[in-house]
Amino acid sequence: MPTLLISTIGQPTSDYDQTVYQLDDGTTHSGCYHQDLLLRHLFPEGLAPGDAFWLVSTQEALDRHADTLSLAPRTIAIPKGGSNDEFWSMYSAIATPLAEIAASRQPEDAPITIHLDLTHGFRVQPVFLQAAVRACCDLYQNLHLAEIWYAFYERGHPGPHPLRTVTPIVDMERVATDVRAFLAHGVGEALAERLVAVDERIRQELAVARRQAAAQALHMQTDGDTRPMGAIIEDLLGPQVDSRHLREGAHAIRSFAALARLNHTPAAACITRDLLRLTSHARALFTGSLAPIGQALAALGDQLAPLLPKDPTPLWGWHRALAAWCLDRSLFQQALTHGAEMTTTRMCEEQGQDPLDRVCRQRMGHAVSAFGQRQLKHIAVPAKWKPMVDAANALQDVRNTVNHAGLNASGTTTPTTALADQTRSAIQRIIAAHDAAPALPDPRELERAVQAILVLPRNATVLDPHTNTPRMVVDDLLDHAITPCHPEALLCTQTVHEYRPRCLIEHNPQYLQVVPYAVFTNAAGQVWAYR
């Protein structure tokens, strides 16, 4: 994996003092430049193909120091930073070449690992250089900021001057950014991955510390310490950071993000409970260097809790909450799914049926959706059910438009922004309909209403299929139990038949129900229709 070191340097009018710099692993270097120690640490065999070393500073400082380092750098001149124009020039000076090397990489190439050294940056130069590097790493996936380095040099300080990474400062800021992305947009992967990365770093640091403590403990036993090796190591390590909650938090966040997108509502209560339980104790669980993570997770829980139900039942309440959650984050497809399932789930629950039973859901769902079907559109919706049925059908119409009817070969027939507005309006309408109903009406009213039958008026005529003229009045059919006729004559009643609700028609003498119970033919091919 190629490595890029970007370092800053100042002091254009004089040389640096001869001093000793030391890494955390004990490696030291005596010289004027801490960069020489960092170069030896990052490039022990020198610059390999793809590796690079950039030195960033004012032209005066570059002229004085660039040629005296152990490896020749690529020099990038920047202004001192005394005005807004100079600030942006500083930003562009580093962002432009980073964008160029990112563009030169092939998809199969390994990403470039960047180490940023800000030790001798002048005034605000480190702030803008860090912002430029981090912006490019966010923009280009083949650039990765691994560590930020700083040499703690103090003139007159005896002993080695530490050269250390200060990356945790940036990591904590990233955690807060990822929490905001989750709360604002429902994107949980970045936050989960960040927590796992912090956990891995803590585990790696602990492993290094254990190896060093083991070596020191061996010397102590050699010098006469009679304690067991394990006891000496634990004493040397002292209190250790417990980071297992980081992975638990990452799992809970990933599960919740998947829950909202997959409409896996039955698991909503369990998944949300695990997440909120973790966030409610975050400040107590994450202390010391992990305190910023604890604060970020606690803020996540504080903002998430009011938006979601407190109890696992009723299940339809989770549909409502997740529909609103997704809608607020412009996750329209997920919001449409949660909104469409809300009424069916509530009907099952309020009727004492299992909302996870497919047969029950199909029956309840059909009772609502039937009024949106073409052949039943003329059937009046029961008055008590009208707000709910109209809202459900409006949402389904939008869902169909988004998924199918709104598309053609060149794109959408309806502008995307209009589809988004229609989606938002439909979801808000179904939520409002449920909020306004303390309980749903009796679903049997829907079932009775949609039991429509095929009828035609008593005074309708049957047309002759050949001449398209009236052949007989329907009332005449009542005078004969068996009537010879052409089969086409039965089909020609389509000009006058219609569907009407059974509850409105079965006692109305002005209509006849069209039910051809049997049709017979004789050997001569004559058709006999029995009414």
Side-chain angles (χ1 to χ4, degrees), residues 320-334:
R320 185 221 176 280
L322 291 171
W325 163 271
C326 293
L327 181 62
D328 289 344
R329 287 148 187 82
S330 297
L331 301 174
F332 292 135
Q333 286 284 13
Q334 291 80 9

Side-chain angles (χ1 to χ4, degrees), residues 20 64 90 111 125 161-162 174 178 181 205 225 229 312 359 363 388 391 407 413 416 438 454 495:
V20 176
R64 188 170 191 93
M90 207 185 305
Q125 290 173 353
H161 297 277
R174 286 171 174 168
D178 293 338
E205 292 173 352
D225 194 324
M229 176 71 74
V359 175
R363 185 177 72 254
M388 195 70 66
L407 302 179
T413 56
T416 303
L454 180 65
T495 57

Side-chain angles (χ1 to χ4, degrees), residues 238-290:
Q240 297 299 307
V241 175
D242 185 359
S243 64
R244 69 179 185 275
H245 304 297
L246 289 167
R247 288 186 180 269
E248 295 175 3
H251 175 72
I253 289 166
R254 282 197 181 104
S255 298
F256 185 88
L259 159 73
R261 292 178 180 147
L262 294 175
N263 186 35
H264 191 34
T265 319
C270 177
I271 289 174
T272 306
R273 183 183 64 244
D274 291 343
L275 177 58
L276 293 180
R277 182 172 60 234
L278 177 77
T279 59
S280 65
H281 297 92
R283 289 188 175 91
L285 290 173
F286 303 111
T287 58
S289 63
L290 297 182

